[in-house]
Amino acid sequence: MVFVEHLIFYADAGLNLRAGDLWSLAGAVFFACQVVYTNVAARRSDPFAVSAMQAVVSGAVGWVFVAARGKLSVPAGAWGTLLYLGVIATALILVLQTWALGKTKPVRAGVIYSMEPVFATLFAMCFFGAHMTGPEVLGSAAILTGVLVAELKRVSAD
């Protein structure tokens, strides 16, 4: 009920939720569920088996979307990149994340994951010359401050 009241508040303030906003919200909810499930599964099972199951399920879902689109067209020179992304950037990272989630709490993992945009931005600025506007810097600083305060508060409580 509180969520609906917040949506009404935002609508009254002139802010609109678009389809992309709802997809982002749904993605965040499902990712949070995946983190909690993986944490539990990684503590009870072999992290490699859990990772393999996740890769198989996500691959199957991906192929359903490819089949729904009707075709798969990949230039011959892109297969090396696809193999790298599939093996290193997906499978290996999934195994490492699953192993690490078995060693920490889901809330702490969520805080650590929230730092991903910070590193992505720094990477883009250093290697691709990306720039941020003043409001983007302020918003990023606010998010980073919130993450750090939440983590430091948890550490002091432990």
Side-chain angles (χ1 to χ4, degrees), residues 14-118:
L15 301 174
N16 297 326
L17 282 176
R18 296 188 178 127
D21 301 322
L22 296 175
W23 280 110
S24 294
L25 180 62
V29 167
F30 283 114
F31 188 67
C33 292
Q34 188 263 347
V35 167
V36 171
Y37 169 77
T38 301
N39 178 267
V40 171
R43 290 175 190 268
R44 295 181 181 169
S45 304
D46 177 28
F48 293 103
V50 174
S51 298
M53 182 58 70
Q54 289 178 339
V56 167
V57 170
S58 63
V61 170
W63 281 109
V64 166
F65 282 103
V66 168
R69 185 170 176 250
K71 63 179 180 177
L72 174 63
S73 176
V74 178
W79 283 105
T81 302
L82 287 174
L83 282 173
Y84 166 77
L85 291 172
V87 174
I88 304 298
T90 302
L92 178 63
I93 298 304
L94 190 59
V95 168
L96 291 173
Q97 284 181 339
T98 301
W99 172 81
L101 274 171
K103 307 289 184 208
T104 189
K105 298 175 184 168
V107 172
R108 179 161 287 172
V111 170
I112 293 168
Y113 286 157
S114 68
M115 295 297 291
E116 180 182 1
V118 173

